[in-house]
Amino acid sequence: MTAEPVPGPARSPAGPADGHSRPARWAVGLAAAVAAVIAVSYTIFAVALAVGGVGATEDTWVGLLGAVALLGGLVASLAAFALAVVAKVRHEQWALLWLPLSLFPALLVVVVLGETLWWE
């Protein structure tokens, strides 16, 4: 009896077929979702500001959308940051981990500077 190789990519029992751990995939996916939500909400904010002026964004759903997106994104990016740290501690070598590792500090700086200098 002869043994022949099974066609297709070899699977490693150590992890998923793509080679990235579950925390790393979750961290990158969550950070990408946060970046997309914040980009969309602030695009809506910018269009409303350009079309209707300051009155169109003050005390309206547009301003609330921006605030909720920023604060909710801050919390979600903290979770993505923690997952990325766990992945890095497990020696994950994935170039896209820079996104969750940089998104949370960037949003934190925006919130701190925004509260301090721009918003009332």
Side-chain angles (χ1 to χ4, degrees), residues 27-56:
V28 171
L30 190 57
V34 166
V37 166
I38 288 177
V40 167
S41 68
Y42 279 92
T43 300
I44 292 170
F45 186 85
V47 168
L49 186 64
V51 170
V54 178

Side-chain angles (χ1 to χ4, degrees), residues 17 27 29 32 45 47 55 58 106 110 119:
F45 186 85
V47 168
E58 251 180 22
V110 166
W119 306 314

